Amino acid sequence: AQTVTQSQPEMSVQEAETVTLSCTYDTSENNYYLFWYKQPPSRQMILVIRQEAYKQQNATENRFSVNFQKAAKSFSLKISDSQLGDTAMYFCAFMGDTGTSGTYKYIFGTGTRLKVLA
Amino acid sequence: DGGITQSPKYLFRKEGQNVTLSCEQNLNHDAMYWYRQDPGQGLRLIYYSQIVNDFQKGDIAEGYSVSREKKESFPLTVTSAQKNPTAFYLCASTGGPPLGSGANVLTFGAGSRLTVL
């Protein structure tokens, strides 16, 4: 079964600094997707960034980028120039085949609570 | 605007009562999911449905039931058999086909907070 592990329950960073959130996963599949979602205090889940496993190039979205290491099964999120609005819970997620034709599951890690300090 | 509507936002239940959480989407998405969120445990999958009139158990389906009679709707019933139902519940959907396309991003509703008195 697939698993997603986020080993940092809480982190903090000074405004304008850079922070990296860690995520590791376990799967025997070769084709899958990885995601980072943000959950601010409003609790609305928002997609931050997505990575296809078959792409070697790391995904970037403005201040957000990932370091995808497929062999190591690692998928870290780097936030550059941190802003107060980045304060949120961040979840790493894996999407892959359940083994039943046409069905797919999304597995989430336990989250990292990030606080950006003024 | 297209999106997912969950209701009610807050719900209180007495022990022994069944309650139903509503989830409606107007995104024309095929797949819908229910997750439970507890502090320190992330999101855990309760049930999911890839098409109308079909659904599968997730990792923590015991004490819950669902139906998928319409593409737009995927209600979750928390039954009296669920021993610890107090939690935040999130409904999500995705367009599919998942792999190899851009349709596999999960879109979430705003959530429902259930508290057992």
Side-chain angles (χ1 to χ4, degrees), chain A residues 33 35 37 39 43-45 47 50 91 95 98 102-106 108-109, chain B residues 33 35 37 48 50 59 94 98-102 104-106 108-110:
Chain A
Y33 280 81
F35 306 83
Y37 281 87
Q39 188 180 44
R43 305 200 79 170
Q44 176 69 56
M45 295 283 284
L47 176 71
R50 179 183 71 166
F91 291 98
M95 190 216 81
T98 64
T103 63
Y104 299 86
K105 286 171 62 175
Y106 295 76
F108 285 81
Chain B
Y33 304 78
Y35 288 91
Q37 186 176 11
Y48 61 108
Q50 303 283 160
D59 301 314
T94 185
L99 295 177
S101 77
N104 55 20
V105 173
L106 275 176
F108 285 87

PDB file of all heavy atoms in Angstrom, chain A residues 33 35 37 39 43-45 47 50 91 95 98 102-106 108-109, chain B residues 33 35 37 48 50 59 94 98-102 104-106 108-110:
ATOM      1  N   TYR A  33       1.184  10.714  -9.587  1.00  0.00           N
ATOM      2  CA  TYR A  33       1.289  12.160  -9.415  1.00  0.00           C
ATOM      3  C   TYR A  33       1.537  12.477  -7.943  1.00  0.00           C
ATOM      4  O   TYR A  33       1.071  11.751  -7.059  1.00  0.00           O
ATOM      5  CB  TYR A  33       0.006  12.848  -9.861  1.00  0.00           C
ATOM      6  CG  TYR A  33      -0.106  13.032 -11.347  1.00  0.00           C
ATOM      7  CD1 TYR A  33      -0.515  11.985 -12.166  1.00  0.00           C
ATOM      8  CD2 TYR A  33       0.191  14.257 -11.945  1.00  0.00           C
ATOM      9  CE1 TYR A  33      -0.629  12.152 -13.538  1.00  0.00           C
ATOM     10  CE2 TYR A  33       0.080  14.425 -13.311  1.00  0.00           C
ATOM     11  CZ  TYR A  33      -0.332  13.375 -14.098  1.00  0.00           C
ATOM     12  OH  TYR A  33      -0.425  13.540 -15.452  1.00  0.00           O
ATOM     13  N   PHE A  35       1.423  15.896  -5.144  1.00  0.00           N
ATOM     14  CA  PHE A  35       0.855  17.223  -4.957  1.00  0.00           C
ATOM     15  C   PHE A  35       1.272  17.803  -3.613  1.00  0.00           C
ATOM     16  O   PHE A  35       1.531  17.067  -2.653  1.00  0.00           O
ATOM     17  CB  PHE A  35      -0.691  17.155  -4.957  1.00  0.00           C
ATOM     18  CG  PHE A  35      -1.309  16.488  -6.143  1.00  0.00           C
ATOM     19  CD1 PHE A  35      -1.429  15.113  -6.189  1.00  0.00           C
ATOM     20  CD2 PHE A  35      -1.789  17.239  -7.194  1.00  0.00           C
ATOM     21  CE1 PHE A  35      -2.014  14.484  -7.279  1.00  0.00           C
ATOM     22  CE2 PHE A  35      -2.382  16.619  -8.290  1.00  0.00           C
ATOM     23  CZ  PHE A  35      -2.493  15.245  -8.332  1.00  0.00           C
ATOM     24  N   TYR A  37      -0.680  20.542  -1.113  1.00  0.00           N
ATOM     25  CA  TYR A  37      -1.864  21.338  -0.852  1.00  0.00           C
ATOM     26  C   TYR A  37      -1.617  22.202   0.381  1.00  0.00           C
ATOM     27  O   TYR A  37      -0.932  21.799   1.316  1.00  0.00           O
ATOM     28  CB  TYR A  37      -3.093  20.455  -0.598  1.00  0.00           C
ATOM     29  CG  TYR A  37      -3.726  19.897  -1.849  1.00  0.00           C
ATOM     30  CD1 TYR A  37      -3.278  18.692  -2.397  1.00  0.00           C
ATOM     31  CD2 TYR A  37      -4.769  20.561  -2.482  1.00  0.00           C
ATOM     32  CE1 TYR A  37      -3.862  18.179  -3.543  1.00  0.00           C
ATOM     33  CE2 TYR A  37      -5.356  20.050  -3.633  1.00  0.00           C
ATOM     34  CZ  TYR A  37      -4.899  18.861  -4.157  1.00  0.00           C
ATOM     35  OH  TYR A  37      -5.471  18.346  -5.298  1.00  0.00           O
ATOM     36  N   GLN A  39      -3.553  24.403   3.456  1.00  0.00           N
ATOM     37  CA  GLN A  39      -4.798  24.613   4.190  1.00  0.00           C
ATOM     38  C   GLN A  39      -4.603  25.768   5.163  1.00  0.00           C
ATOM     39  O   GLN A  39      -4.096  25.596   6.260  1.00  0.00           O
ATOM     40  CB  GLN A  39      -5.227  23.341   4.931  1.00  0.00           C
ATOM     41  CG  GLN A  39      -6.607  23.457   5.553  1.00  0.00           C
ATOM     42  CD  GLN A  39      -7.030  22.196   6.297  1.00  0.00           C
ATOM     43  OE1 GLN A  39      -6.237  21.608   7.034  1.00  0.00           O
ATOM     44  NE2 GLN A  39      -8.265  21.768   6.108  1.00  0.00           N
ATOM     45  N   ARG A  43      -9.407  26.754   6.503  1.00  0.00           N
ATOM     46  CA  ARG A  43      -9.524  25.290   6.301  1.00  0.00           C
ATOM     47  C   ARG A  43      -9.890  24.917   4.872  1.00  0.00           C
ATOM     48  O   ARG A  43     -10.164  23.747   4.597  1.00  0.00           O
ATOM     49  CB  ARG A  43     -10.493  24.660   7.301  1.00  0.00           C
ATOM     50  CG  ARG A  43     -10.129  24.967   8.732  1.00  0.00           C
ATOM     51  CD  ARG A  43     -10.745  24.019   9.717  1.00  0.00           C
ATOM     52  NE  ARG A  43     -10.010  22.755   9.768  1.00  0.00           N
ATOM     53  CZ  ARG A  43     -10.226  21.813  10.687  1.00  0.00           C
ATOM     54  NH1 ARG A  43     -11.145  21.989  11.606  1.00  0.00           N
ATOM     55  NH2 ARG A  43      -9.537  20.685  10.666  1.00  0.00           N
ATOM     56  N   GLN A  44      -9.903  25.888   3.955  1.00  0.00           N
ATOM     57  CA  GLN A  44     -10.131  25.577   2.547  1.00  0.00           C
ATOM     58  C   GLN A  44      -8.846  25.015   1.950  1.00  0.00           C
ATOM     59  O   GLN A  44      -7.805  25.670   1.994  1.00  0.00           O
ATOM     60  CB  GLN A  44     -10.558  26.831   1.792  1.00  0.00           C
ATOM     61  CG  GLN A  44     -10.726  26.632   0.298  1.00  0.00           C
ATOM     62  CD  GLN A  44     -11.913  25.766  -0.039  1.00  0.00           C
ATOM     63  OE1 GLN A  44     -13.040  26.051   0.344  1.00  0.00           O
ATOM     64  NE2 GLN A  44     -11.683  24.684  -0.781  1.00  0.00           N
ATOM     65  N   MET A  45      -8.898  23.843   1.381  1.00  0.00           N
ATOM     66  CA  MET A  45      -7.725  23.210   0.780  1.00  0.00           C
ATOM     67  C   MET A  45      -7.456  23.827  -0.589  1.00  0.00           C
ATOM     68  O   MET A  45      -8.352  23.913  -1.434  1.00  0.00           O
ATOM     69  CB  MET A  45      -7.958  21.709   0.635  1.00  0.00           C
ATOM     70  CG  MET A  45      -8.090  20.984   1.955  1.00  0.00           C
ATOM     71  SD  MET A  45      -6.504  20.722   2.751  1.00  0.00           S
ATOM     72  CE  MET A  45      -5.864  19.378   1.776  1.00  0.00           C
ATOM     73  N   LEU A  47      -4.668  23.873  -3.926  1.00  0.00           N
ATOM     74  CA  LEU A  47      -3.523  23.252  -4.589  1.00  0.00           C
ATOM     75  C   LEU A  47      -2.378  24.252  -4.687  1.00  0.00           C
ATOM     76  O   LEU A  47      -2.568  25.385  -5.122  1.00  0.00           O
ATOM     77  CB  LEU A  47      -3.908  22.780  -5.979  1.00  0.00           C
ATOM     78  CG  LEU A  47      -2.770  22.199  -6.814  1.00  0.00           C
ATOM     79  CD1 LEU A  47      -2.341  20.844  -6.255  1.00  0.00           C
ATOM     80  CD2 LEU A  47      -3.170  22.085  -8.272  1.00  0.00           C
ATOM     81  N   ARG A  50       1.960  20.673  -8.451  1.00  0.00           N
ATOM     82  CA  ARG A  50       1.751  19.280  -8.857  1.00  0.00           C
ATOM     83  C   ARG A  50       2.957  18.799  -9.646  1.00  0.00           C
ATOM     84  O   ARG A  50       3.540  19.562 -10.417  1.00  0.00           O
ATOM     85  CB  ARG A  50       0.504  19.201  -9.728  1.00  0.00           C
ATOM     86  CG  ARG A  50       0.179  17.819 -10.245  1.00  0.00           C
ATOM     87  CD  ARG A  50      -1.025  17.838 -11.146  1.00  0.00           C
ATOM     88  NE  ARG A  50      -0.723  18.490 -12.415  1.00  0.00           N
ATOM     89  CZ  ARG A  50      -1.497  18.411 -13.483  1.00  0.00           C
ATOM     90  NH1 ARG A  50      -2.607  17.704 -13.422  1.00  0.00           N
ATOM     91  NH2 ARG A  50      -1.177  19.027 -14.586  1.00  0.00           N
ATOM     92  N   PHE A  91       0.017  19.957   3.134  1.00  0.00           N
ATOM     93  CA  PHE A  91      -0.128  18.515   2.997  1.00  0.00           C
ATOM     94  C   PHE A  91       0.510  18.050   1.693  1.00  0.00           C
ATOM     95  O   PHE A  91       0.268  18.616   0.632  1.00  0.00           O
ATOM     96  CB  PHE A  91      -1.601  18.108   2.982  1.00  0.00           C
ATOM     97  CG  PHE A  91      -2.296  18.286   4.295  1.00  0.00           C
ATOM     98  CD1 PHE A  91      -3.075  19.410   4.538  1.00  0.00           C
ATOM     99  CD2 PHE A  91      -2.187  17.330   5.291  1.00  0.00           C
ATOM    100  CE1 PHE A  91      -3.731  19.585   5.742  1.00  0.00           C
ATOM    101  CE2 PHE A  91      -2.829  17.488   6.500  1.00  0.00           C
ATOM    102  CZ  PHE A  91      -3.601  18.622   6.729  1.00  0.00           C
ATOM    103  N   MET A  95      -1.062  10.412  -5.712  1.00  0.00           N
ATOM    104  CA  MET A  95      -2.190   9.870  -6.449  1.00  0.00           C
ATOM    105  C   MET A  95      -1.708   8.747  -7.352  1.00  0.00           C
ATOM    106  O   MET A  95      -0.788   8.941  -8.162  1.00  0.00           O
ATOM    107  CB  MET A  95      -2.865  10.929  -7.297  1.00  0.00           C
ATOM    108  CG  MET A  95      -4.187  10.462  -7.882  1.00  0.00           C
ATOM    109  SD  MET A  95      -4.498  11.097  -9.535  1.00  0.00           S
ATOM    110  CE  MET A  95      -3.524   9.965 -10.499  1.00  0.00           C
ATOM    111  N   THR A  98      -5.384   2.258  -7.896  1.00  0.00           N
ATOM    112  CA  THR A  98      -5.748   1.370  -6.788  1.00  0.00           C
ATOM    113  C   THR A  98      -5.556  -0.089  -7.151  1.00  0.00           C
ATOM    114  O   THR A  98      -5.635  -0.956  -6.304  1.00  0.00           O
ATOM    115  CB  THR A  98      -7.222   1.550  -6.411  1.00  0.00           C
ATOM    116  OG1 THR A  98      -8.034   1.144  -7.519  1.00  0.00           O
ATOM    117  CG2 THR A  98      -7.535   2.979  -6.044  1.00  0.00           C
ATOM    118  N   GLY A 102      -9.581   1.737 -13.626  1.00  0.00           N
ATOM    119  CA  GLY A 102     -10.320   2.993 -13.654  1.00  0.00           C
ATOM    120  C   GLY A 102     -10.512   3.654 -12.310  1.00  0.00           C
ATOM    121  O   GLY A 102     -11.225   4.650 -12.221  1.00  0.00           O
ATOM    122  N   THR A 103      -9.908   3.133 -11.268  1.00  0.00           N
ATOM    123  CA  THR A 103     -10.078   3.767  -9.957  1.00  0.00           C
ATOM    124  C   THR A 103      -8.735   4.252  -9.437  1.00  0.00           C
ATOM    125  O   THR A 103      -7.720   3.583  -9.575  1.00  0.00           O
ATOM    126  CB  THR A 103     -10.697   2.805  -8.935  1.00  0.00           C
ATOM    127  OG1 THR A 103      -9.813   1.707  -8.722  1.00  0.00           O
ATOM    128  CG2 THR A 103     -12.042   2.291  -9.412  1.00  0.00           C
ATOM    129  N   TYR A 104      -8.758   5.426  -8.812  1.00  0.00           N
ATOM    130  CA  TYR A 104      -7.541   6.056  -8.333  1.00  0.00           C
ATOM    131  C   TYR A 104      -7.782   6.645  -6.961  1.00  0.00           C
ATOM    132  O   TYR A 104      -8.854   7.144  -6.657  1.00  0.00           O
ATOM    133  CB  TYR A 104      -7.098   7.147  -9.302  1.00  0.00           C
ATOM    134  CG  TYR A 104      -6.799   6.592 -10.675  1.00  0.00           C
ATOM    135  CD1 TYR A 104      -7.802   6.431 -11.611  1.00  0.00           C
ATOM    136  CD2 TYR A 104      -5.510   6.201 -11.001  1.00  0.00           C
ATOM    137  CE1 TYR A 104      -7.528   5.898 -12.850  1.00  0.00           C
ATOM    138  CE2 TYR A 104      -5.226   5.668 -12.244  1.00  0.00           C
ATOM    139  CZ  TYR A 104      -6.239   5.513 -13.164  1.00  0.00           C
ATOM    140  OH  TYR A 104      -5.962   4.984 -14.389  1.00  0.00           O
ATOM    141  N   LYS A 105      -6.745   6.565  -6.128  1.00  0.00           N
ATOM    142  CA  LYS A 105      -6.850   7.091  -4.781  1.00  0.00           C
ATOM    143  C   LYS A 105      -5.815   8.176  -4.562  1.00  0.00           C
ATOM    144  O   LYS A 105      -4.743   8.167  -5.163  1.00  0.00           O
ATOM    145  CB  LYS A 105      -6.625   5.974  -3.755  1.00  0.00           C
ATOM    146  CG  LYS A 105      -7.769   5.010  -3.630  1.00  0.00           C
ATOM    147  CD  LYS A 105      -7.399   3.815  -2.760  1.00  0.00           C
ATOM    148  CE  LYS A 105      -7.052   4.189  -1.343  1.00  0.00           C
ATOM    149  NZ  LYS A 105      -6.809   2.991  -0.496  1.00  0.00           N
ATOM    150  N   TYR A 106      -6.175   9.085  -3.663  1.00  0.00           N
ATOM    151  CA  TYR A 106      -5.259  10.134  -3.239  1.00  0.00           C
ATOM    152  C   TYR A 106      -4.927   9.866  -1.776  1.00  0.00           C
ATOM    153  O   TYR A 106      -5.815   9.767  -0.933  1.00  0.00           O
ATOM    154  CB  TYR A 106      -5.915  11.508  -3.381  1.00  0.00           C
ATOM    155  CG  TYR A 106      -6.221  11.893  -4.817  1.00  0.00           C
ATOM    156  CD1 TYR A 106      -7.299  11.335  -5.487  1.00  0.00           C
ATOM    157  CD2 TYR A 106      -5.440  12.829  -5.481  1.00  0.00           C
ATOM    158  CE1 TYR A 106      -7.586  11.695  -6.790  1.00  0.00           C
ATOM    159  CE2 TYR A 106      -5.722  13.200  -6.783  1.00  0.00           C
ATOM    160  CZ  TYR A 106      -6.788  12.629  -7.429  1.00  0.00           C
ATOM    161  OH  TYR A 106      -7.070  12.986  -8.725  1.00  0.00           O
ATOM    162  N   PHE A 108      -2.819  11.162   1.574  1.00  0.00           N
ATOM    163  CA  PHE A 108      -2.251  12.391   2.136  1.00  0.00           C
ATOM    164  C   PHE A 108      -1.322  12.077   3.302  1.00  0.00           C
ATOM    165  O   PHE A 108      -1.521  11.111   4.043  1.00  0.00           O
ATOM    166  CB  PHE A 108      -3.372  13.305   2.638  1.00  0.00           C
ATOM    167  CG  PHE A 108      -4.120  13.995   1.540  1.00  0.00           C
ATOM    168  CD1 PHE A 108      -5.117  13.331   0.845  1.00  0.00           C
ATOM    169  CD2 PHE A 108      -3.830  15.301   1.206  1.00  0.00           C
ATOM    170  CE1 PHE A 108      -5.810  13.960  -0.176  1.00  0.00           C
ATOM    171  CE2 PHE A 108      -4.518  15.942   0.185  1.00  0.00           C
ATOM    172  CZ  PHE A 108      -5.516  15.275  -0.508  1.00  0.00           C
ATOM    173  N   GLY A 109      -0.315  12.930   3.474  1.00  0.00           N
ATOM    174  CA  GLY A 109       0.515  12.883   4.659  1.00  0.00           C
ATOM    175  C   GLY A 109      -0.194  13.556   5.820  1.00  0.00           C
ATOM    176  O   GLY A 109      -1.309  14.059   5.679  1.00  0.00           O
TER     177      GLY A 109
ATOM    178  N   TYR B  33     -14.919  12.239  -3.580  1.00  0.00           N
ATOM    179  CA  TYR B  33     -14.235  11.632  -2.438  1.00  0.00           C
ATOM    180  C   TYR B  33     -14.704  12.269  -1.132  1.00  0.00           C
ATOM    181  O   TYR B  33     -15.031  13.452  -1.099  1.00  0.00           O
ATOM    182  CB  TYR B  33     -12.717  11.860  -2.544  1.00  0.00           C
ATOM    183  CG  TYR B  33     -12.085  11.361  -3.818  1.00  0.00           C
ATOM    184  CD1 TYR B  33     -12.191  12.076  -4.998  1.00  0.00           C
ATOM    185  CD2 TYR B  33     -11.365  10.174  -3.830  1.00  0.00           C
ATOM    186  CE1 TYR B  33     -11.602  11.631  -6.170  1.00  0.00           C
ATOM    187  CE2 TYR B  33     -10.771   9.713  -4.998  1.00  0.00           C
ATOM    188  CZ  TYR B  33     -10.900  10.446  -6.169  1.00  0.00           C
ATOM    189  OH  TYR B  33     -10.316   9.982  -7.323  1.00  0.00           O
ATOM    190  N   TYR B  35     -13.209  12.716   2.808  1.00  0.00           N
ATOM    191  CA  TYR B  35     -12.075  12.577   3.715  1.00  0.00           C
ATOM    192  C   TYR B  35     -12.482  13.042   5.112  1.00  0.00           C
ATOM    193  O   TYR B  35     -13.307  13.941   5.276  1.00  0.00           O
ATOM    194  CB  TYR B  35     -10.889  13.429   3.262  1.00  0.00           C
ATOM    195  CG  TYR B  35     -10.186  12.904   2.043  1.00  0.00           C
ATOM    196  CD1 TYR B  35     -10.561  13.312   0.775  1.00  0.00           C
ATOM    197  CD2 TYR B  35      -9.143  11.996   2.174  1.00  0.00           C
ATOM    198  CE1 TYR B  35      -9.909  12.835  -0.344  1.00  0.00           C
ATOM    199  CE2 TYR B  35      -8.486  11.509   1.052  1.00  0.00           C
ATOM    200  CZ  TYR B  35      -8.874  11.933  -0.199  1.00  0.00           C
ATOM    201  OH  TYR B  35      -8.228  11.449  -1.300  1.00  0.00           O
ATOM    202  N   GLN B  37     -10.695  14.610   8.598  1.00  0.00           N
ATOM    203  CA  GLN B  37      -9.483  15.248   9.085  1.00  0.00           C
ATOM    204  C   GLN B  37      -9.529  15.354  10.598  1.00  0.00           C
ATOM    205  O   GLN B  37     -10.454  15.940  11.163  1.00  0.00           O
ATOM    206  CB  GLN B  37      -9.319  16.645   8.465  1.00  0.00           C
ATOM    207  CG  GLN B  37      -8.000  17.297   8.830  1.00  0.00           C
ATOM    208  CD  GLN B  37      -7.788  18.637   8.147  1.00  0.00           C
ATOM    209  OE1 GLN B  37      -8.701  19.194   7.545  1.00  0.00           O
ATOM    210  NE2 GLN B  37      -6.582  19.166   8.242  1.00  0.00           N
ATOM    211  N   TYR B  48     -14.973   6.710  -1.815  1.00  0.00           N
ATOM    212  CA  TYR B  48     -14.819   7.425  -3.058  1.00  0.00           C
ATOM    213  C   TYR B  48     -15.669   6.778  -4.143  1.00  0.00           C
ATOM    214  O   TYR B  48     -16.023   5.590  -4.050  1.00  0.00           O
ATOM    215  CB  TYR B  48     -13.353   7.525  -3.492  1.00  0.00           C
ATOM    216  CG  TYR B  48     -12.645   6.226  -3.740  1.00  0.00           C
ATOM    217  CD1 TYR B  48     -12.322   5.825  -5.029  1.00  0.00           C
ATOM    218  CD2 TYR B  48     -12.236   5.414  -2.685  1.00  0.00           C
ATOM    219  CE1 TYR B  48     -11.635   4.648  -5.265  1.00  0.00           C
ATOM    220  CE2 TYR B  48     -11.555   4.239  -2.905  1.00  0.00           C
ATOM    221  CZ  TYR B  48     -11.245   3.858  -4.188  1.00  0.00           C
ATOM    222  OH  TYR B  48     -10.566   2.678  -4.414  1.00  0.00           O
ATOM    223  N   GLN B  50     -16.116   6.746  -8.486  1.00  0.00           N
ATOM    224  CA  GLN B  50     -15.570   7.142  -9.785  1.00  0.00           C
ATOM    225  C   GLN B  50     -16.690   7.453 -10.783  1.00  0.00           C
ATOM    226  O   GLN B  50     -16.488   8.239 -11.721  1.00  0.00           O
ATOM    227  CB  GLN B  50     -14.686   6.035 -10.348  1.00  0.00           C
ATOM    228  CG  GLN B  50     -13.534   5.631  -9.448  1.00  0.00           C
ATOM    229  CD  GLN B  50     -12.379   6.628  -9.484  1.00  0.00           C
ATOM    230  OE1 GLN B  50     -11.548   6.678  -8.589  1.00  0.00           O
ATOM    231  NE2 GLN B  50     -12.304   7.442 -10.507  1.00  0.00           N
ATOM    232  N   ASP B  59     -10.086   3.899   3.506  1.00  0.00           N
ATOM    233  CA  ASP B  59      -9.339   3.274   4.595  1.00  0.00           C
ATOM    234  C   ASP B  59     -10.104   3.238   5.919  1.00  0.00           C
ATOM    235  O   ASP B  59      -9.794   2.429   6.792  1.00  0.00           O
ATOM    236  CB  ASP B  59      -8.020   4.023   4.796  1.00  0.00           C
ATOM    237  CG  ASP B  59      -7.174   4.023   3.539  1.00  0.00           C
ATOM    238  OD1 ASP B  59      -7.046   2.948   2.919  1.00  0.00           O
ATOM    239  OD2 ASP B  59      -6.652   5.090   3.158  1.00  0.00           O
ATOM    240  N   THR B  94     -12.724  15.292  -8.725  1.00  0.00           N
ATOM    241  CA  THR B  94     -11.723  15.439  -9.756  1.00  0.00           C
ATOM    242  C   THR B  94     -12.309  14.989 -11.081  1.00  0.00           C
ATOM    243  O   THR B  94     -13.189  14.146 -11.122  1.00  0.00           O
ATOM    244  CB  THR B  94     -10.450  14.657  -9.421  1.00  0.00           C
ATOM    245  OG1 THR B  94      -9.458  14.929 -10.412  1.00  0.00           O
ATOM    246  CG2 THR B  94     -10.705  13.169  -9.401  1.00  0.00           C
ATOM    247  N   PRO B  98      -7.490  10.270 -14.751  1.00  0.00           N
ATOM    248  CA  PRO B  98      -6.444  10.819 -13.886  1.00  0.00           C
ATOM    249  C   PRO B  98      -5.050  10.878 -14.482  1.00  0.00           C
ATOM    250  O   PRO B  98      -4.458  11.948 -14.549  1.00  0.00           O
ATOM    251  CB  PRO B  98      -6.481   9.902 -12.666  1.00  0.00           C
ATOM    252  CG  PRO B  98      -7.823   9.300 -12.675  1.00  0.00           C
ATOM    253  CD  PRO B  98      -8.156   9.134 -14.130  1.00  0.00           C
ATOM    254  N   LEU B  99      -4.505   9.789 -14.880  1.00  0.00           N
ATOM    255  CA  LEU B  99      -3.097   9.780 -15.233  1.00  0.00           C
ATOM    256  C   LEU B  99      -2.886  10.327 -16.632  1.00  0.00           C
ATOM    257  O   LEU B  99      -3.637  10.022 -17.550  1.00  0.00           O
ATOM    258  CB  LEU B  99      -2.544   8.364 -15.126  1.00  0.00           C
ATOM    259  CG  LEU B  99      -2.542   7.807 -13.705  1.00  0.00           C
ATOM    260  CD1 LEU B  99      -2.051   6.387 -13.686  1.00  0.00           C
ATOM    261  CD2 LEU B  99      -1.697   8.674 -12.796  1.00  0.00           C
ATOM    262  N   GLY B 100      -1.896  11.151 -16.779  1.00  0.00           N
ATOM    263  CA  GLY B 100      -1.560  11.667 -18.092  1.00  0.00           C
ATOM    264  C   GLY B 100      -2.375  12.868 -18.517  1.00  0.00           C
ATOM    265  O   GLY B 100      -2.316  13.298 -19.650  1.00  0.00           O
ATOM    266  N   SER B 101      -3.155  13.428 -17.608  1.00  0.00           N
ATOM    267  CA  SER B 101      -3.959  14.584 -17.989  1.00  0.00           C
ATOM    268  C   SER B 101      -3.906  15.619 -16.887  1.00  0.00           C
ATOM    269  O   SER B 101      -3.369  15.380 -15.818  1.00  0.00           O
ATOM    270  CB  SER B 101      -5.406  14.190 -18.236  1.00  0.00           C
ATOM    271  OG  SER B 101      -6.067  13.997 -17.010  1.00  0.00           O
ATOM    272  N   GLY B 102      -4.474  16.765 -17.149  1.00  0.00           N
ATOM    273  CA  GLY B 102      -4.518  17.806 -16.128  1.00  0.00           C
ATOM    274  C   GLY B 102      -5.770  17.760 -15.293  1.00  0.00           C
ATOM    275  O   GLY B 102      -6.020  18.648 -14.489  1.00  0.00           O
ATOM    276  N   ASN B 104      -6.620  15.695 -12.965  1.00  0.00           N
ATOM    277  CA  ASN B 104      -6.554  14.903 -11.743  1.00  0.00           C
ATOM    278  C   ASN B 104      -6.317  15.721 -10.490  1.00  0.00           C
ATOM    279  O   ASN B 104      -6.034  15.165  -9.441  1.00  0.00           O
ATOM    280  CB  ASN B 104      -5.463  13.835 -11.886  1.00  0.00           C
ATOM    281  CG  ASN B 104      -4.123  14.446 -12.254  1.00  0.00           C
ATOM    282  OD1 ASN B 104      -3.895  15.627 -12.067  1.00  0.00           O
ATOM    283  ND2 ASN B 104      -3.240  13.629 -12.785  1.00  0.00           N
ATOM    284  N   VAL B 105      -6.434  17.016 -10.571  1.00  0.00           N
ATOM    285  CA  VAL B 105      -6.274  17.836  -9.379  1.00  0.00           C
ATOM    286  C   VAL B 105      -7.545  17.760  -8.552  1.00  0.00           C
ATOM    287  O   VAL B 105      -8.648  17.978  -9.069  1.00  0.00           O
ATOM    288  CB  VAL B 105      -5.975  19.298  -9.767  1.00  0.00           C
ATOM    289  CG1 VAL B 105      -5.973  20.182  -8.531  1.00  0.00           C
ATOM    290  CG2 VAL B 105      -4.651  19.382 -10.501  1.00  0.00           C
ATOM    291  N   LEU B 106      -7.406  17.469  -7.284  1.00  0.00           N
ATOM    292  CA  LEU B 106      -8.551  17.439  -6.390  1.00  0.00           C
ATOM    293  C   LEU B 106      -9.022  18.851  -6.096  1.00  0.00           C
ATOM    294  O   LEU B 106      -8.228  19.702  -5.710  1.00  0.00           O
ATOM    295  CB  LEU B 106      -8.171  16.766  -5.074  1.00  0.00           C
ATOM    296  CG  LEU B 106      -8.240  15.246  -4.967  1.00  0.00           C
ATOM    297  CD1 LEU B 106      -7.733  14.804  -3.605  1.00  0.00           C
ATOM    298  CD2 LEU B 106      -9.637  14.729  -5.198  1.00  0.00           C
ATOM    299  N   PHE B 108     -11.597  20.820  -3.570  1.00  0.00           N
ATOM    300  CA  PHE B 108     -12.227  20.572  -2.276  1.00  0.00           C
ATOM    301  C   PHE B 108     -13.362  21.537  -1.997  1.00  0.00           C
ATOM    302  O   PHE B 108     -13.362  22.685  -2.455  1.00  0.00           O
ATOM    303  CB  PHE B 108     -11.200  20.736  -1.157  1.00  0.00           C
ATOM    304  CG  PHE B 108     -10.229  19.587  -1.039  1.00  0.00           C
ATOM    305  CD1 PHE B 108      -9.069  19.576  -1.780  1.00  0.00           C
ATOM    306  CD2 PHE B 108     -10.497  18.529  -0.180  1.00  0.00           C
ATOM    307  CE1 PHE B 108      -8.167  18.519  -1.676  1.00  0.00           C
ATOM    308  CE2 PHE B 108      -9.595  17.478  -0.069  1.00  0.00           C
ATOM    309  CZ  PHE B 108      -8.437  17.467  -0.821  1.00  0.00           C
ATOM    310  N   GLY B 109     -14.315  21.043  -1.200  1.00  0.00           N
ATOM    311  CA  GLY B 109     -15.306  21.914  -0.611  1.00  0.00           C
ATOM    312  C   GLY B 109     -14.731  22.593   0.618  1.00  0.00           C
ATOM    313  O   GLY B 109     -13.583  22.353   0.997  1.00  0.00           O
ATOM    314  N   ALA B 110     -15.549  23.423   1.266  1.00  0.00           N
ATOM    315  CA  ALA B 110     -15.086  24.189   2.420  1.00  0.00           C
ATOM    316  C   ALA B 110     -15.117  23.391   3.713  1.00  0.00           C
ATOM    317  O   ALA B 110     -14.608  23.847   4.736  1.00  0.00           O
ATOM    318  CB  ALA B 110     -15.921  25.456   2.575  1.00  0.00           C
TER     319      ALA B 110
END
